[in-house]
């Protein structure tokens, strides 16, 4: 197998951003946001899936990263494997000699079960920003708590307009 340096792949322009699409799945129509997001990302974006939300996209063919042969869609496992995904982000930051928040990385998480909330709390504790959540907030999350998460932790709610959300993510918002 041919080894490809992630740093040279990113530095050469083959990768514009990494997108972690994770969390829970559900039957609600607005959860199509995650499929739409993956489908509308540019061909130089890498999609990392995590949790049951991956079942919306993991049967699709998103091609490869440039001519590297590396798939654009990489499955990071279930919610219980979140630690491994965090370790990948930390390893990328170390390889690029920067902080995790300096990486071209967006995390877009869906809510549904308590496990997803625990993953979110872990990411908040580690100071990883920005995080996008949605499409709907859990019923137990009161507006005052959401206000604190937005103000103090940079939490963002997904925009139903996927194209606008992609523009904001590429702009670092």
């Amino acid at each position: 197998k041919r080894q490809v340096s992630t740093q040279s792949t990113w530095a050469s322009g083959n990768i514009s951003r990494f997108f972690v699409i994770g969390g829970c799945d559900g039957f609600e129509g607005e959860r199509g946001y995650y499929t739409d997001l993956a489908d509308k990302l540019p061909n130089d974006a890498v999609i990392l899936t995590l949790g049951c939300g991956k079942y919306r996209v993991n049967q699709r063919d998103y091609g490869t990263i440039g001519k590297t042969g590396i798939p654009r869609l990489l499955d990071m496992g279930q919610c219980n494997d979140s630690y491994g995904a965090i370790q990948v982000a930390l390893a990328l930051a170390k390889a690029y000699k920067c902080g995790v928040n300096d990486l071209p990385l967006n995390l877009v998480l869906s809510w549904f079960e308590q496990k997803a909330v625990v993953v979110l709390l872990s990411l908040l504790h580690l100071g990883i920003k920005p995080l996008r959540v949605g499409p709907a907030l859990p019923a137990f999350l009161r507006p005052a708590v959401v206000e604190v998460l937005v103000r103090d932790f940079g939490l963002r709610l997904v925009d139903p307009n996927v194209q606008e959300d992609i523009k904001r993510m590429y702009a670092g918002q």
Side-chain angles (χ1 to χ4, degrees), residues 14-165:
N14 284 319
I15 297 174
S16 61
R17 294 191 81 72
F18 298 91
F19 289 84
V20 177
I21 298 176
C24 307
D25 195 8
F27 60 87
E28 297 89 357
E30 68 263 12
R31 290 192 182 266
Y33 169 89
Y34 300 96
T35 306
D36 293 343
L37 175 63
D39 288 349
K40 292 179 180 177
L41 289 173
N43 289 335
D44 60 356
V46 175
I47 304 163
L48 306 167
T49 60
L50 183 65
C52 292
K54 70 181 174 189
Y55 296 117
R56 295 215 169 240
V57 298
N58 73 348
Q59 299 300 320
R60 296 170 181 258
D61 182 2
Y62 291 99
T64 60
I65 303 165
K67 295 180 182 180
T68 65
I70 300 170
R72 282 188 55 227
L73 176 66
L74 301 169
D75 182 2
M76 300 300 298
Q78 289 298 106
C79 287
N80 299 338
D81 301 315
S82 297
Y83 179 78
I86 292 168
Q87 292 305 307
V88 168
L90 292 172
L92 281 170
K94 184 177 179 181
Y96 291 112
K97 297 177 177 67
C98 66
V100 172
N101 293 331
D102 299 320
L103 292 170
L105 173 68
N106 290 95
L107 290 95
V108 187
L109 307 172
S110 61
W111 295 81
F112 204 57
E113 295 183 7
Q114 292 83 357
K115 273 190 299 188
V117 175
V118 172
V119 170
L120 175 66
L121 291 174
S122 299
L123 294 168
L124 293 174
H125 173 74
L126 292 169
I128 297 176
K129 298 178 183 180
L131 301 169
R132 277 185 162 62
V133 297
L137 296 174
F140 64 83
L141 200 56
R142 298 289 179 233
V145 175
V146 173
E147 183 180 320
V148 169
L149 293 173
V150 169
R151 183 188 66 231
D152 296 348
F153 295 96
L155 189 75
R156 295 176 174 97
L157 303 179
V158 298
D159 186 326
N161 183 328
V162 172
Q163 286 299 118
E164 288 301 314
D165 238 1

